[in-house]
């Protein structure tokens, strides 16, 4: 592991995003099981998050996850392309 990641900041960052994405998705499923709604966002000020949450040099803000109660009159999920159009299984 050390050989794979040490001195490879790009790989470290890729791995941080991969891992955080799994964590974020798991959190969203858990929230849904408790009747909550959530919304991931990647459009935020990472420097501001680092500053406000006093993150260390090895902590990378990957996404913000807003959590709350879905409003009754909220709009429905936007349409998704069929899985077969966006995923190839080899
Ligand atoms: C990884 C990720 C990052 C996102 N970042 C943003 C964002 O910065 N701003 C935004 O308005 N929506 C963002 N979205 C989209 C919303 O989270 C949400 O999925 C979108 O409003 C569609 O709603 P729906 O999933 O209920 O159809 C992001 C979605 C994902 C998966």
């Amino acid at each position: 592991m050390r050989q794979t990641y040490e001195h490879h900041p790009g790989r470290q960052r890729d791995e941080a995003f991969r891992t955080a994405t799994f964590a974020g998705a798991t959190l969203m499923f858990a929230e849904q099981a408790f009747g909550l709604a959530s919304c991931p966002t990647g459009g935020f000020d990472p420097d501001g998050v680092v500053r406000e949450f006093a993150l260390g040099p090895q902590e990378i803000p990957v996404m913000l996850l807003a959590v709350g109660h879905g409003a009754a009159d909220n709009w429905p999920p936007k349409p998704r392309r069929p899985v077969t159009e966006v995923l190839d299984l080899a």
Side-chain angles (χ1 to χ4, degrees):
M1 281 297 127
R2 189 178 293 273
Q3 275 181 340
T4 303
Y5 293 105
E6 198 170 35
H7 311 304
H8 296 284
R11 287 184 194 165
Q12 293 171 17
R13 192 173 171 81
D14 286 352
E15 190 56 42
F17 270 72
R18 198 162 24 240
T19 305
T21 301
F22 276 119
T26 304
L27 197 55
M28 291 172 76
F29 291 138
E31 287 152 5
Q32 195 163 18
F34 282 100
L36 295 167
S38 55
C39 177
T41 55
F44 60 88
D45 169 15
D47 295 336
V49 171
V50 166
R51 189 175 57 248
E52 294 300 322
F53 289 86
L55 301 185
Q58 300 212 341
E59 296 175 302
I60 301 170
V62 170
M63 73 179 83
L64 299 186
L65 196 55
V67 180
H69 296 278
D73 59 349
N74 204 359
W75 58 74
K78 298 182 185 73
R80 262 62 169 173
R81 290 163 59 188
V83 171
T84 49
E85 257 185 46
V86 296
L87 180 69
D88 282 330
L89 294 175

